[in-house]
Amino acid sequence: MTTTTEPPITKERTTMAESKSRKAARRRYGRLAPRVTVLAVLLGGWWAFAAAGVISEDLVPTPLGTVRAWAELVVTAEYWNSILETLRGAAAGLLFAMVIGVPIGLLTGTYAALERCTRVLFDVLRTFPGIAMLPVFLLILGATFTMKAVVVFIACVFIIVLQAQYGARSVTPTIRETVRAYRIPKRLWFRRVVLPSSIPSIMTGLRLAAALSVLVAIGVEVLTTVPGIGFRVTEAQLGNDSSSAWAYILTAGVLGFLIVVMSELAESRLLRWRPSSRLEM
């Protein structure tokens, strides 16, 4: 009885594996290095600007002072409650925008007659700044969580509608003619053809709307007394505590960045079947 043994890993295979790992490391470094460089330049410019005394430190604190203020805030419940309130308002508005915007976008993108009937209405509403209606919403709803969610909804819904429309229109004429020739039921055509073709565009719209929802929620909080990060920024500025104000501003920036990263990660996981459109550097 003969036994077969696995061939030993040759030196050539080991060299190739090491070469691939080195190339992968260089690609990761090549993508990370420019980002770190830009961040370092911005921090250096901020420090130089503050140290030069061009503007009073009461208005623009040093990076070190901001970090100290953030270290004092991060251990307080007030800090985390503010983040939670901002995320709650942004998530509520985004959720309603998704529930309403996706079906409307798919329907108007699928049926040309419906799209023509609603085109003027959508063009007018999507160019109207929702923040301009803030005084009206304050009179009707008051400075409440509901008012913040409504403003976020108005800001996000048209992005989702347009992206869903674009996705529904991406079905090629050849596929439409094939469906018509074989008399495939509309429900089956919508579920098996239109919806899968629209998912990439819908995910792009949700990613853009997710980042916008946080920005709008913070903007509403700055202009009103609704609890959240924006309200804490205004409160710190009125109390001449610029370090805490900038700490909250940087928190808002980090929060937006994390939402974008998580949205891109979720999009890449859900759409593994789609070829990547990004160029690897």
Side-chain angles (χ1 to χ4, degrees), residues 41-108:
V41 170
L42 289 176
L43 288 175
W46 179 10
W47 177 85
F49 187 78
V54 179
I55 298 180
S56 172
E57 191 172 333
D58 293 335
L59 299 177
V60 181
T62 62
L64 183 59
T66 303
V67 171
R68 287 174 178 169
W70 177 81
E72 294 175 359
L73 290 172
V74 76
V75 296
T76 63
E78 180 183 271
Y79 177 83
W80 296 105
N81 287 335
S82 299
I83 294 177
L84 181 60
E85 288 296 327
T86 296
L87 290 178
R88 272 206 324 139
L94 179 63
L95 179 61
F96 281 110
M98 179 180 64
V99 171
I100 294 176
V102 171
I104 292 177
L106 290 176
L107 289 174
T108 54

Side-chain angles (χ1 to χ4, degrees), residues 11 27 54 66 69 80 89 118 139 162 216 218 246-247 266:
K11 184 178 181 180
R27 284 197 298 268
V54 179
T66 303
W80 296 105
T118 58
L139 289 174
L162 291 177
V216 173
I218 293 174
W246 279 84

Side-chain angles (χ1 to χ4, degrees), residues 92-162:
L94 179 63
L95 179 61
F96 281 110
M98 179 180 64
V99 171
I100 294 176
V102 171
I104 292 177
L106 290 176
L107 289 174
T108 54
T110 302
Y111 301 101
L114 186 58
E115 190 274 334
R116 286 193 298 268
C117 293
T118 58
R119 182 184 303 170
V120 176
L121 178 63
F122 285 162
D123 287 344
V124 171
L125 292 178
R126 72 186 178 89
T127 56
F128 193 82
I131 205 74
M133 294 293 293
L134 192 57
V136 178
F137 293 139
L138 280 172
L139 289 174
I140 297 174
L141 301 173
T144 60
F145 169 81
T146 303
M147 184 272 296
K148 177 167 60 174
V150 168
V151 177
V152 172
F153 165 79
I154 293 174
C156 296
V157 67
F158 294 106
I159 296 176
I160 298 174
V161 168
L162 291 177

Side-chain angles (χ1 to χ4, degrees), residues 187-206:
R187 184 179 298 179
L188 181 62
W189 169 63
F190 185 84
R191 190 173 69 250
R192 295 293 188 180
V193 178
V194 176
L195 191 57
S197 299
S198 305
I199 288 177
S201 295
I202 292 173
M203 291 300 299
T204 300
L206 292 177

